[in-house]
Amino acid sequence: MAGEATSIRSTRSTLTFYVSAILLLAVGLGLLTAGVLEWIYANRIWPGVFIGATAVGGLSEEEARIRWEATLPDPQRPLFVLEGPGFQRAVSLADLGARVDLPGTLQEAMRVGREQGLADWPERIAIWWSGRVVPPRVEVDAAILDARVAELAAAIDRPPRDASLEIRGDQVIVLPAEAGARLDREATRARLLEALATLQPTAIRLPVEIVPPAVTEVEPARTQLSQWLQGPIHLFVPTETLTVPLSLPTTGPWELSPAELAGMITLVRVDSPSPHLEARLEDARLQEWLAPITATLQADPVDARFVFDEARRQLIPIAPSRWGYRMDIPTTVARVREALSAPTREVPIALTLIPPRYPETATAEALGITGLIAQATTNFKGSPPPRVRNITLGASRMHGVVVPPGEVFSFNAHLGDVSVDTGFEEALIIYNGRTVRGVGGGLCQVSTTLFRAAFFGGFPIEERWPHAYRVGWYERTFGPGLDAAIFSPYADFKFRNDRETPILIAAEVNPEAGTLTFKIYGSDDGRRVTVEGPFVSNVVPHGPPVYEEDPTLPKGKIVQVDWAVDGADVLVKRKVEKDGQILYEDRVFTRYQAWQAVFKVGTGEP
């Protein structure tokens, strides 16, 4: 038994020796093989390594460069095809700002399996057995890539188009909705970078988002518009409903056609409760269309005119009053708006009636007119008939006028148009520094007389213009310095009724005596007027006569057209007092030019 045990131990020792020897031999052979392989591939890429799809294992870096570079795409030739809805574009590496990093990629391939020394052998064996792919290193200029993505977005992006309506004449056309498109820029950039990492020709589907329109249903608005434009609208003045008689130039009708109405309508998107279109009538455009009608349908009220019966202290009407009127624009616009959806297309125009301040029923007691408070008279005896008729007509325009308290009286406003058509005739006037024949000659006699009445009555004078030279007609009753020239519409005479009650202007013309008198009636408020002057100074003698040739006159005939008068400075002073207080102190200063006599000498045919 002892021998058997010894034999077993001997056998085990022998086996251990052989196993150890084999292991040592295997390790030695492994180390020898590893050393040989390390020596063989010392400057070569480890077997089983690929750059992209190109096998470069066992090659030197230069050999690998040559082999791999031969497979690379031309940077300038299209490599990728970008596709989107209705869009396609081929781009190259250069287009995307991309460049292949050859040295960096080859160095990466050389490093595979060589990072940990002997510890790399398991990885080397795995690489040899299964292979290892090194992705190409591609450098991208971010600015160029972003610019290309922006260009793609500009070509693809399209805003959605809401459904809308178009008015063509009196027809309403539906323009259907259309979806928009929007490129997802970040996703596009990621897809491009992913494709660049492969360097393989491929089609890249661009991430494009479909943007739906907000408004898709316009049928209610179309129905509304069609009803609005179904026919013309007629506007008229409903005379049967007027509460007072009016002197209207016309009562219509005026037609608002569907085409005109269409130009006043806008379509507005409304988001609540859901996006939709609403038709709206633009008030400003309708009012612009109404403007000519508005101008026609307007008249200021006219006060009645009166004379004052001094004996009975009563007002006697001599001219009726008239109501004024204006178009009530807001109400009329509202009626047009209502008619758009109404069965009838007839619109009564709304008028605002303006009563006169002083109707025929006004009384002297109610107005506070108690008697005469001022008057003035001038003399025009010897005037030619046309001048007398102009004076008479001009004075009639002022006769019977009531001036409210605080209001400024304008001579030209009451005189109106001065023309042959309104009854005035040609007579001598001062125009542009000369005495010439003109329509309305003699009206300055009227303005001068009324000026003096207001001046002597203590009323504030708001505007007064003197004549260029002294006129004899106006110096017969007072002297120089209190004349008032008018030339409508440029030179006016104005005074203000600063009393607490109205005043009444009355004109009296006596053609036989050649006198014009203005009387002002009102309530005596106790004011007293003191006038001093005229004070004449700086007299400038007139020059010698002037003779001018006139081919329109027969040869040898001489006609005087201007009369000589000396120039001078004239001052008139006025003081207005009331209850011991000075209301006004005026200095009316006039510098009259020296005036030469002018004669026309005929040079024409007899």
Side-chain angles (χ1 to χ4, degrees), residues 512-564:
E512 294 182 359
T515 58
L516 168 62
T517 299
F518 270 107
K519 295 181 178 181
I520 299 178
Y521 295 95
S523 175
D524 186 357
D525 63 353
R527 70 182 64 190
R528 297 293 177 260
V529 180
T530 304
V531 176
E532 299 180 44
F535 303 102
V536 180
S537 62
N538 193 26
V539 176
V540 179
H542 63 78
V546 175
Y547 295 87
E548 298 176 348
E549 293 184 349
D550 187 346
T552 64
L553 295 175
K555 186 175 182 180
K557 185 172 183 178
I558 299 176
V559 176
Q560 186 173 3
V561 294
D562 262 331
W563 284 258

Side-chain angles (χ1 to χ4, degrees), residues 478 480-481 532-537 569-573 586-590 592:
F478 178 83
E532 299 180 44
F535 303 102
V536 180
S537 62
D569 290 345
V570 180
L571 175 64
V572 178
K573 299 178 181 180
D586 302 320
R587 294 171 59 88
V588 181
F589 175 80
T590 307
Y592 294 108

Side-chain angles (χ1 to χ4, degrees), residues 570-601:
V570 180
L571 175 64
V572 178
K573 299 178 181 180
R574 180 182 72 160
K575 181 165 64 175
V576 182
E577 298 174 281
K578 178 183 176 183
D579 299 331
Q581 301 293 322
I582 298 177
L583 297 181
Y584 314 109
E585 278 193 288
D586 302 320
R587 294 171 59 88
V588 181
F589 175 80
T590 307
R591 175 162 289 168
Y592 294 108
Q593 302 175 28
W595 213 254
Q596 296 168 279
V598 178
F599 296 87
K600 295 287 188 179
V601 179

Side-chain angles (χ1 to χ4, degrees), residues 274-289:
S274 61
H276 63 282
L277 293 182
E278 288 185 2
R280 294 182 180 175
L281 180 66
E282 293 293 330
D283 286 0
R285 297 181 185 177
L286 176 56
Q287 290 179 27
E288 183 179 352
W289 183 86

Side-chain angles (χ1 to χ4, degrees), residues 160-164 174-180 211-218:
R161 187 182 72 186
D162 291 341
S164 61
V174 176
L175 302 178
E178 184 177 297
V211 184
V215 179
T216 58
E217 178 55 57
V218 294

Side-chain angles (χ1 to χ4, degrees), residues 30-48:
L31 291 174
L32 179 62
T33 302
V36 171
L37 291 175
E38 187 72 35
W39 176 76
I40 292 174
Y41 294 107
N43 294 311
R44 293 179 180 274
I45 299 172
W46 196 253

